[in-house]
Amino acid sequence: MRKGLVALFGLALTSNGCLRGPLRPPDPATAPDYASHAAWACRPDMKGDACDIDLTAVEMLPDGTTKIVPFTPEADPKIDCFYVYPTVDMGLRAGLHEDLTDNEKPFQTAGIQAARFAEVCRLFAPLYRQVRIGTYAADAKTRDFYLDAAYRDVESAFDHYISHDNGGRPFVLVSHSQGSHMVSRLIRRRIETDPALLSRLVVALPIGGHLGTDANGRTGGSFQKVPVCTSKEEQGCVVAYRSYPPSATNFGRDESLKEGKVSVCVHPASIGKDENAGLSRAYFPTRARRLGTLPEGIAEKAPFVLYRDFFEARCVAHGDVRVLEVRPRQAPGDTRQNPIDFDSMFVRSAMGLHIYDVQFGMGDLIDLVRIKAEARQRLQTQ
């Protein structure tokens, strides 16, 4: 990742590879107060938050026509989702995003990645003083210093949620990229060390991170007690992947961030299997920056566009790196065009399809949470 960031963003390094600037602890005055709604992007008791948005989608149909698909949240969800957003601060100097009133990008990202999970759960998404993108190009000491500071915010938010909001309910952990690094630490330090919390974990979905196992593929590496999921109903397990196009040759694996011997890849619709399987419902924002093109006028119809059964994917091993290889399906008579430019320089870089990791699998991740929540309910009534 470090070399990839330098190449992609032209980061200026010192002779020892560190971005210029002394290590600076976070200002205590900027610490979020999670008792205040101002420290959250999404909460079920907040109106007009990042997740309280229009989630209507315009579906692209195989024959070239469209239809509007309304969004219906679950009226009485039985589980919670705790979401941690990815890197949204593109600042090139190592350090933290400390001004949490500058929340446009966290709100936008939570709306895109987390809000749709309201189909199955109550949503809690804290703001946190995350590391800027340039931090990943710094030396390990600098990077870890700031990642530790960012993690302390996430842990504080989670502890507040458990103490004041959870009420003993089962919960799901959802995250992407830097958020998944935070959730990985959270599982090791808070979930695996607390039997009560571990028993309430339905599933962890740290997508687009650097999760790993030992050579046996279930635990070890990232986690000792939370295994990789091997069935859709299994409780207390993890589903993770990082997506790339078939043409990818550089998988951007930063060895200093690697958490195990073999990286984790689980197709959420085809758990335990590596053959091609469809991605049932991929959702993309119609107005956000994108790498390809949408048909003219689509953005005026709805804030999201839905591609149902258009993509397929499989987990592919490249040595000890396993990735989710995503490709468009070539179904006869399907006139839809790929909205993502798989041949763009960005996609063919070490980043691959990283920014759309969650969007490709959104429908299947939601379905998986629903299946696991229903299985949890059956277990509780037996």
Side-chain angles (χ1 to χ4, degrees):
M1 178 184 287
R2 182 179 173 189
K3 291 182 179 178
L5 285 173
V6 172
L8 281 169
F9 298 106
L11 302 181
L13 306 182
T14 62
S15 59
N16 69 352
C18 179
L19 284 171
R20 294 180 178 88
L23 297 181
R24 186 175 67 83
D27 183 349
T30 67
D33 175 10
Y34 292 108
S36 167
H37 283 183
W40 297 84
C42 304
R43 288 181 55 91
D45 56 356
M46 287 170 56
K47 295 295 185 182
D49 65 12
C51 294
D52 186 12
I53 59 173
D54 183 2
L55 292 167
T56 304
V58 52
E59 180 175 358
M60 303 298 302
L61 300 174
D63 64 1
T65 61
T66 64
K67 73 173 182 180
I68 298 298
V69 181
F71 175 76
T72 304
E74 172 62 46
D76 184 23
K78 304 302 181 187
I79 62 172
D80 294 342
C81 288
F82 185 89
Y83 165 77
V84 187
Y85 53 87
T87 306
V88 296
D89 188 326
M90 296 295 110
L92 301 186
R93 184 175 295 279
L96 299 171
H97 182 98
E98 293 194 62
D99 181 6
L100 296 186
T101 65
D102 177 15
N103 57 24
E104 179 181 358
K105 290 181 179 179
F107 270 49
Q108 181 185 61
T109 304
I112 292 170
Q113 292 190 342
R116 203 166 292 275
F117 279 88
E119 286 187 27
V120 289
C121 57
R122 296 195 309 169
L123 284 162
F124 294 84
L127 298 170
Y128 68 107
R129 293 172 295 181
Q130 68 168 209
V131 304
R132 304 185 195 112
I133 189 75
T135 308
Y136 287 101
D139 64 280
K141 179 181 177 181
T142 299
R143 186 195 63 210
D144 291 346
F145 176 85
Y146 289 119
L147 284 172
D148 285 344
Y151 170 74
R152 288 194 291 273
D153 279 1
V154 173
E155 185 178 83
S156 177
F158 180 75
D159 287 344
H160 186 278
Y161 153 72
I162 289 295
S163 298
H164 297 87
D165 302 300
N166 175 262
R169 292 162 57 93
F171 62 88
V172 175
L173 299 174
V174 184
S175 57
H176 181 236
S177 196
Q178 181 178 161
S180 293
H181 182 96
M182 299 294 123
V183 162
S184 180
R185 290 192 183 200
L186 187 70
I187 291 172
R188 286 192 297 274
R189 300 183 185 185
R190 292 290 289 110
I191 309 298
E192 291 194 320
T193 59
D194 187 329
L197 290 179
L198 185 60
S199 71
R200 300 210 299 275
L201 177 65
V202 177
V203 65
L205 305 174
I207 308 301
H210 291 269
L211 269 70
T213 68
D214 62 17
N216 295 321
R218 277 278 274 173
T219 54
S222 296
F223 313 127
Q224 301 302 314
K225 296 180 181 179
V226 175
V228 175
C229 291
T230 57
S231 77
K232 290 188 177 182
E233 294 192 350
E234 183 180 2
Q235 302 289 300
C237 55
V238 63
V239 168
Y241 59 83
R242 189 162 181 166
S243 56
Y244 285 85
S247 59
T249 58
N250 182 352
F251 300 99
R253 189 78 179 178
D254 188 332
E255 292 296 318
S256 66
L257 288 172
K258 189 175 178 181
E259 295 181 355
K261 181 172 177 56
V262 178
S263 52
V264 173
C265 179
V266 180
H267 189 317
S270 183
I271 294 179
K273 302 174 183 178
D274 284 344
E275 66 265 20
N276 278 325
L279 292 163
S280 66
R281 302 186 308 287
Y283 293 88
F284 304 100
T286 56
R287 292 186 180 275
R289 181 178 65 87
R290 52 187 180 271
L291 304 178
T293 57
L294 292 171
E296 188 175 351
I298 289 299
E300 284 68 46
K301 293 186 177 184
F304 290 87
V305 61
L306 165 60
Y307 283 77
R308 194 187 304 270
D309 300 319
F310 178 77
F311 296 99
E312 63 183 10
R314 62 173 180 157
C315 287
V316 177
H318 298 273
D320 60 2
V321 177
R322 287 170 54 80
V323 301
L324 191 69
E325 185 180 270
V326 178
R327 67 178 72 225
R329 280 182 161 175
Q330 302 299 316
D334 192 336
T335 64
R336 294 174 293 181
Q337 300 295 311
N338 189 352
I340 310 299
D341 183 2
F342 278 25
D343 293 322
S344 72
M345 181 180 69
F346 191 90
V347 167
R348 296 178 67 181
S349 75
M351 300 298 287
L353 296 165
H354 181 57
I355 64 172
Y356 291 115
D357 285 327
V358 177
Q359 303 316 118
F360 283 119
M362 178 68 76
D364 297 300
L365 292 168
I366 290 171
D367 289 345
L368 181 63
V369 171
R370 181 181 291 108
I371 290 169
K372 288 183 180 293
E374 290 171 350
R376 171 65 63 119
Q377 284 290 104
R378 289 194 297 271
L379 289 172
Q380 291 177 338
T381 57
Q382 286 177 358

